[in-house]
Amino acid sequence: MHVFDLRKEEALLDEKVGPGGKGSKLALIEEHPILDFVHGEKVRFFFDGKELEGFEGEPISMALHANGVRIYRETAEMHRPRGFFCAIGKCSSCFMIVDGVPNVRTCITPLKAGMKVETQHGKGNVPDLNDGRPRS
């Protein structure tokens, strides 16, 4: 039986990832006494211009967390950092800009190859989908 040692697991996580996502191995649980983990295909995506890896179909926030990213957005008025919180799409802590669209709940949005994910500052600007023409 495998005994979980939090201090040992944290040390391994720091070794694998560290602040800012250094290291090439994703920090994911690989063994669990009860759960089986099935991952999609490993894909590349972009976070604030930096190329990262994750598994297709997993939540974007999971891929970011595995790469050491802990801050997803900054609040509008107080400029406070926000990150992974509820993991079920009920709060606004994981709002990010995904492929140019602001306020995407990254904890419930599946990762796809080539996605461009950006830190959201403030409320986010909704893109004009009419190419500059007034909305009808």
Side-chain angles (χ1 to χ4, degrees), residues 2-44:
H2 178 72
V3 177
F4 185 78
D5 182 347
L6 182 60
R7 288 174 296 220
K8 183 179 177 184
E9 294 299 321
E10 285 176 346
L12 286 172
L13 178 63
D14 287 344
E15 238 180 77
K16 289 180 183 177
V17 181
K22 68 181 181 181
S24 60
K25 186 167 171 103
L26 296 175
L28 298 173
I29 297 171
E30 295 176 10
E31 289 182 34
H32 192 276
I34 299 170
L35 303 173
D36 290 325
F37 298 106
V38 179
H39 297 289
E41 180 181 337
K42 190 178 270 191
V43 295
R44 295 183 186 278

Coordinates of all heavy atoms in Angstrom, one line a residue, residues 2-44:
H2 N 0.5 2.2 -0.8 CA 1.3 3.4 -0.9 C 0.8 4.5 0.1 O -0.4 4.8 0.1 CB 1.1 4.0 -2.4 CG 1.9 5.3 -2.6 ND1 3.2 5.4 -2.7 CD2 1.4 6.6 -2.7 CE1 3.6 6.6 -2.8 NE2 2.5 7.4 -2.9
V3 N 1.7 5.0 0.9 CA 1.3 6.0 1.9 C 1.7 7.4 1.3 O 2.8 7.6 0.8 CB 2.1 5.8 3.2 CG1 1.8 6.9 4.2 CG2 1.7 4.4 3.8
F4 N 0.8 8.3 1.3 CA 1.0 9.6 0.8 C 1.7 10.5 1.8 O 1.2 10.7 2.9 CB -0.4 10.2 0.4 CG -0.3 11.5 -0.3 CD1 0.0 11.6 -1.6 CD2 -0.5 12.7 0.4 CE1 0.1 12.8 -2.3 CE2 -0.4 13.9 -0.3 CZ -0.1 14.0 -1.6
D5 N 2.8 11.0 1.4 CA 3.6 11.9 2.2 C 3.6 13.3 1.5 O 4.3 13.5 0.5 CB 5.1 11.4 2.3 CG 5.9 12.3 3.2 OD1 5.5 13.4 3.6 OD2 7.0 11.8 3.6
L6 N 2.8 14.2 2.1 CA 2.7 15.5 1.5 C 4.0 16.3 1.3 O 4.2 16.8 0.3 CB 1.7 16.4 2.4 CG 1.4 17.8 1.8 CD1 0.7 17.7 0.5 CD2 0.5 18.5 2.8
R7 N 4.9 16.2 2.3 CA 6.2 16.9 2.2 C 7.0 16.4 1.0 O 7.6 17.1 0.3 CB 6.9 16.9 3.5 CG 6.3 17.8 4.6 CD 7.0 17.5 5.8 NE 6.8 16.1 6.2 CZ 6.5 15.7 7.4 NH1 6.5 16.5 8.4 NH2 6.2 14.4 7.7
K8 N 7.0 15.1 0.9 CA 7.7 14.4 -0.2 C 7.1 14.8 -1.6 O 7.9 15.1 -2.5 CB 7.7 12.9 0.0 CG 8.6 12.2 -1.0 CD 8.5 10.7 -0.8 CE 9.3 9.9 -1.8 NZ 9.2 8.5 -1.7
E9 N 5.8 14.8 -1.6 CA 5.1 15.1 -2.9 C 5.4 16.6 -3.3 O 5.6 16.9 -4.4 CB 3.6 14.8 -2.8 CG 3.3 13.4 -2.7 CD 3.8 12.5 -3.8 OE1 3.7 12.9 -5.0 OE2 4.2 11.4 -3.6
E10 N 5.4 17.5 -2.3 CA 5.6 18.9 -2.6 C 7.1 19.1 -3.0 O 7.3 19.9 -4.0 CB 5.4 19.7 -1.3 CG 3.9 19.9 -1.0 CD 3.7 20.7 0.3 OE1 4.6 20.9 1.1 OE2 2.5 21.2 0.4
A11 N 8.0 18.4 -2.4 CA 9.4 18.5 -2.9 C 9.6 18.0 -4.3 O 10.3 18.6 -5.1 CB 10.3 17.7 -1.9
L12 N 8.9 16.9 -4.6 CA 8.9 16.4 -6.0 C 8.3 17.3 -7.0 O 8.8 17.6 -8.1 CB 8.2 15.0 -6.1 CG 8.9 13.8 -5.5 CD1 8.0 12.6 -5.5 CD2 10.2 13.5 -6.3
L13 N 7.2 17.9 -6.6 CA 6.6 18.9 -7.4 C 7.5 20.1 -7.7 O 7.6 20.6 -8.8 CB 5.3 19.4 -6.8 CG 4.5 20.5 -7.6 CD1 4.1 20.0 -8.9 CD2 3.3 21.0 -6.8
D14 N 8.1 20.6 -6.6 CA 9.1 21.7 -6.8 C 10.2 21.4 -7.7 O 10.7 22.2 -8.5 CB 9.6 22.2 -5.4 CG 8.6 22.9 -4.6 OD1 7.6 23.4 -5.2 OD2 8.8 23.0 -3.4
E15 N 10.7 20.1 -7.6 CA 11.8 19.6 -8.5 C 11.3 19.6 -9.9 O 12.1 20.0 -10.8 CB 12.2 18.2 -8.0 CG 13.6 18.1 -7.6 CD 13.8 16.7 -7.2 OE1 14.0 15.8 -8.1 OE2 13.9 16.4 -6.0
K16 N 10.1 19.1 -10.2 CA 9.6 18.9 -11.5 C 9.3 20.3 -12.2 O 9.5 20.5 -13.3 CB 8.4 18.1 -11.5 CG 8.6 16.6 -11.2 CD 7.3 15.9 -11.3 CE 7.4 14.4 -10.9 NZ 6.1 13.8 -10.9
V17 N 8.6 21.1 -11.4 CA 8.1 22.3 -12.0 C 8.7 23.6 -11.5 O 9.3 24.3 -12.2 CB 6.5 22.4 -11.8 CG1 6.0 23.7 -12.4 CG2 5.9 21.2 -12.3
G18 N 8.6 23.9 -10.2 CA 9.1 25.1 -9.6 C 8.2 26.3 -10.1 O 7.4 26.2 -10.9
P19 N 8.5 27.4 -9.5 CA 7.7 28.6 -9.9 C 7.9 29.0 -11.3 O 9.0 28.9 -11.8 CB 8.3 29.7 -9.0 CG 8.9 29.0 -7.9 CD 9.4 27.7 -8.4
G20 N 6.9 29.3 -12.1 CA 7.0 29.7 -13.4 C 7.0 28.6 -14.4 O 7.2 28.8 -15.6
G21 N 6.9 27.3 -14.0 CA 6.8 26.2 -14.9 C 8.2 25.7 -15.5 O 8.2 25.2 -16.6
K22 N 9.3 25.9 -14.8 CA 10.5 25.4 -15.4 C 10.5 23.9 -15.3 O 9.9 23.3 -14.5 CB 11.7 26.0 -14.6 CG 11.9 25.6 -13.2 CD 13.1 26.2 -12.6 CE 13.3 25.8 -11.2 NZ 14.4 26.3 -10.5
G23 N 11.3 23.3 -16.1 CA 11.3 21.8 -16.2 C 10.4 21.3 -17.3 O 9.5 22.0 -17.7
S24 N 10.7 20.2 -17.8 CA 10.0 19.7 -19.0 C 8.9 18.7 -18.7 O 8.0 18.4 -19.5 CB 10.9 19.1 -20.0 OG 11.6 18.0 -19.4
K25 N 8.9 18.2 -17.5 CA 7.9 17.2 -17.1 C 6.7 17.8 -16.5 O 6.8 18.7 -15.6 CB 8.5 16.2 -16.1 CG 7.6 15.0 -15.8 CD 8.3 13.9 -15.1 CE 7.4 12.9 -14.6 NZ 7.3 11.7 -15.3
L26 N 5.5 17.4 -16.9 CA 4.3 18.0 -16.4 C 4.1 17.4 -15.0 O 4.3 16.3 -14.7 CB 3.1 17.6 -17.2 CG 3.1 18.1 -18.6 CD1 1.9 17.6 -19.4 CD2 3.0 19.6 -18.6
A27 N 3.7 18.3 -14.0 CA 3.5 17.9 -12.7 C 2.1 17.3 -12.5 O 1.2 18.1 -12.1 CB 3.7 19.1 -11.7
L28 N 1.9 16.1 -12.8 CA 0.6 15.4 -12.6 C 0.8 14.2 -11.7 O 1.8 13.6 -11.6 CB 0.1 14.9 -14.0 CG -0.1 16.0 -15.0 CD1 -0.4 15.4 -16.4 CD2 -1.3 16.9 -14.6
I29 N -0.3 13.8 -11.1 CA -0.3 12.6 -10.3 C -0.2 11.5 -11.3 O -1.0 11.4 -12.3 CB -1.6 12.5 -9.5 CG1 -1.7 13.6 -8.5 CG2 -1.7 11.1 -8.8 CD1 -3.0 13.7 -7.7
E30 N 0.7 10.6 -11.1 CA 0.9 9.5 -12.0 C 0.3 8.1 -11.5 O 0.0 7.3 -12.2 CB 2.3 9.3 -12.4 CG 2.8 10.5 -13.2 CD 4.3 10.5 -13.5 OE1 5.0 9.4 -13.2 OE2 4.9 11.5 -13.9
E31 N 0.3 8.0 -10.2 CA -0.3 6.8 -9.5 C -1.2 7.2 -8.5 O -1.0 8.2 -7.8 CB 0.9 6.0 -8.9 CG 1.8 5.3 -9.8 CD 2.8 4.5 -9.1 OE1 2.5 3.9 -8.0 OE2 4.0 4.5 -9.5
H32 N -2.3 6.4 -8.3 CA -3.3 6.6 -7.3 C -3.8 5.3 -6.9 O -4.1 4.4 -7.7 CB -4.4 7.6 -7.8 CG -5.3 8.1 -6.7 ND1 -6.3 7.3 -6.2 CD2 -5.3 9.2 -6.1 CE1 -6.9 8.1 -5.3 NE2 -6.3 9.2 -5.2
P33 N -4.1 5.1 -5.6 CA -4.5 3.7 -5.1 C -5.9 3.4 -5.6 O -6.3 2.2 -5.6 CB -4.4 3.8 -3.6 CG -4.4 5.3 -3.3 CD -3.8 6.0 -4.5
I34 N -6.7 4.4 -6.0 CA -8.1 4.1 -6.3 C -8.4 4.5 -7.8 O -9.1 3.8 -8.5 CB -9.1 4.8 -5.4 CG1 -8.9 4.3 -3.9 CG2 -10.5 4.6 -5.8 CD1 -9.6 5.2 -2.9
L35 N -7.9 5.6 -8.2 CA -8.3 6.2 -9.5 C -7.3 5.8 -10.6 O -6.2 5.6 -10.4 CB -8.3 7.7 -9.4 CG -9.2 8.3 -8.4 CD1 -9.0 9.9 -8.3 CD2 -10.7 8.0 -8.7
D36 N -7.9 5.6 -11.8 CA -7.1 5.4 -13.0 C -7.1 6.7 -13.8 O -8.1 7.4 -13.8 CB -7.7 4.3 -13.8 CG -7.5 2.9 -13.2 OD1 -6.5 2.7 -12.5 OD2 -8.5 2.1 -13.4
F37 N -5.9 7.0 -14.4 CA -5.8 8.3 -15.1 C -5.6 7.9 -16.6 O -4.7 7.2 -17.0 CB -4.6 9.1 -14.7 CG -4.8 9.6 -13.2 CD1 -4.0 9.0 -12.2 CD2 -5.7 10.6 -12.9 CE1 -4.1 9.4 -10.9 CE2 -5.8 11.0 -11.6 CZ -5.0 10.4 -10.6
V38 N -6.5 8.4 -17.4 CA -6.5 8.2 -18.9 C -6.3 9.6 -19.5 O -7.2 10.5 -19.2 CB -7.7 7.5 -19.4 CG1 -7.6 7.4 -20.9 CG2 -7.9 6.2 -18.7
H39 N -5.3 9.9 -20.2 CA -5.0 11.2 -20.8 C -5.3 11.1 -22.3 O -5.1 10.1 -22.9 CB -3.6 11.6 -20.5 CG -3.2 11.8 -19.1 ND1 -3.8 12.9 -18.3 CD2 -2.5 11.1 -18.2 CE1 -3.3 12.8 -17.1 NE2 -2.5 11.7 -17.0
G40 N -5.6 12.3 -22.8 CA -5.8 12.4 -24.3 C -4.4 12.5 -24.9 O -3.4 12.4 -24.2
E41 N -4.3 12.9 -26.1 CA -3.1 13.0 -26.8 C -2.3 14.3 -26.3 O -2.9 15.3 -26.0 CB -3.3 13.2 -28.3 CG -2.1 13.4 -29.2 CD -2.5 13.6 -30.6 OE1 -3.6 13.2 -31.1 OE2 -1.7 14.3 -31.3
K42 N -1.0 14.2 -26.1 CA -0.2 15.3 -25.7 C -0.2 16.3 -26.8 O 0.1 16.0 -27.9 CB 1.2 14.9 -25.3 CG 2.0 16.0 -24.6 CD 3.4 15.5 -24.2 CE 3.3 14.9 -22.8 NZ 4.6 14.7 -22.2
V43 N -0.5 17.6 -26.5 CA -0.6 18.7 -27.4 C 0.1 19.9 -26.9 O 0.4 20.0 -25.7 CB -2.1 19.1 -27.8 CG1 -2.8 17.9 -28.4 CG2 -2.8 19.5 -26.5
R44 N 0.5 20.8 -27.8 CA 1.1 22.0 -27.5 C 0.1 23.2 -27.6 O -0.8 23.1 -28.4 CB 2.3 22.3 -28.4 CG 3.4 21.3 -28.3 CD 4.5 21.7 -29.2 NE 5.6 20.6 -29.3 CZ 6.5 20.5 -28.3 NH1 6.6 21.3 -27.3 NH2 7.4 19.5 -28.4

